[in-house]
Amino acid sequence: GQERKRKKVGSPKLTFDEIGGQESAKQELREALDFLIRHEEISKFGIRPLKGILLTGPPGTGKTLMAKAAAQYTNSVFVAAAGSEFVEMYVGVGAGRIRDLFRDAKARAVKEKKDSAIIFIDEIDVIGGKREGGQQREYDQTLNQLLTEMDGIYTSDAPRILVMAATNRKEMLDSALLRPGRFDRHIQVDLPDKKGRKHILDLHAKNKPLAEDVDLEKIAEEAYGFSGAQLESVMNEAAIYAMRQSLEVISQNHMSMAIDKVMMGEKTDRESNA
Ligand code: ATP
């Protein structure tokens, strides 16, 4: 039931420092979040309150981490859902779930005595895809309900609600979602550059025993085009190689093998998708 659906709740203790790279995205996000924190000044100036932030970019780059860090930064409760959870065979079920999601977020904020709640919806394109002229889909009601909820957010009274959503297909989204007062703030979360990759490797190497010869700088260079999620996998696979050989530490060779393994994995994924 609801408990199962709302599994990804809680007030995650995750800060922006635990997100590697993404310096400009983190900065932009913090600036946007200051609108939520400084809501009194915002209303004094008659500035439109912030209701929605859209995170765009390829899979595994840390969009979910960003939303969790946003909740921590603003001292908000965090409620997460994925677009696919709202797609149902029966008309109205998805819309009901959206209503519940907003109700849950408010109730949790009240219960935990927080002034705000962040609702994170991953894969927003699943429910917010473009509505082609006149074509009715069974989950249009779901999208309409989301728009209604967002329009109904009263930002002057606590708990204030901020909706964050993620997609890797921004161009697919219905323009109704992108209008002012809805998801009008867009933050691009790109694949990390070399410096970002090194930072992410450092973060995931923290709890792992590395041999003297390990050169994460070099690994970062070799891992060109890797996402944060793939870099996390590299560190993990390297540790598994070391453990299998009953060694005490992870060597540079394990790291190289792990890079190959993650790269191959991606390739076979892509081939099987083709
Ligand atoms: P998707 O769009 O596929 O849901 P996402 O962009 O939301 O992906 P996350 O779920 O945030 O990606 O990242 C998945 C995992 O990859 C994280 O739990 C973390 O271990 C690792 N990761 C991704 N990006 C970063 C990053 N910038 N810094 C540190 N770890 C990262």
Side-chain angles (χ1 to χ4, degrees), residues 206-219:
K206 257 194 200 152
N207 61 349
K208 295 183 176 64
L210 298 187
E212 294 276 322
D213 75 330
V214 171
D215 182 352
L216 291 181
E217 193 80 40
K218 192 157 167 261
I219 298 296

Side-chain angles (χ1 to χ4, degrees), residues 18-20 22 58-65 122 200 203-204 228-229 232:
E18 289 159 77
I19 304 174
Q22 307 299 353
T61 45
K63 296 183 288 297
T64 306
L65 299 179
D122 204 358
I200 295 169
L203 287 170
H204 289 285
E232 190 272 338

Side-chain angles (χ1 to χ4, degrees), residues 138-156:
E138 69 282 10
Y139 44 94
D140 271 357
Q141 280 197 8
T142 309
L143 176 56
N144 285 335
Q145 188 61 38
L146 175 62
L147 300 175
T148 304
E149 294 287 348
M150 289 186 78
D151 292 346
I153 294 173
Y154 289 105
T155 40
S156 52

Side-chain angles (χ1 to χ4, degrees), residues 60-130:
T61 45
K63 296 183 288 297
T64 306
L65 299 179
M66 296 273 246
K68 287 184 178 168
Q72 176 83 359
Y73 182 75
T74 56
N75 192 28
S76 305
V77 294
F78 181 74
V79 181
S84 52
E85 289 173 31
F86 301 99
V87 180
E88 284 293 331
M89 201 149 57
Y90 299 103
V91 171
V93 174
R97 287 206 181 131
I98 292 277
R99 216 173 302 127
D100 291 344
L101 180 67
F102 279 75
R103 207 178 355 205
D104 281 4
K106 270 179 235 163
R108 289 236 353 267
V110 170
K111 192 167 158 224
E112 294 178 31
K113 300 190 167 57
K114 305 250 183 170
D115 287 342
S116 49
I118 289 184
I119 296 177
F120 176 63
I121 307 176
D122 204 358
E123 317 160 10
I124 186 79
D125 43 283
V126 175
I127 48 172
K130 279 201 177 90

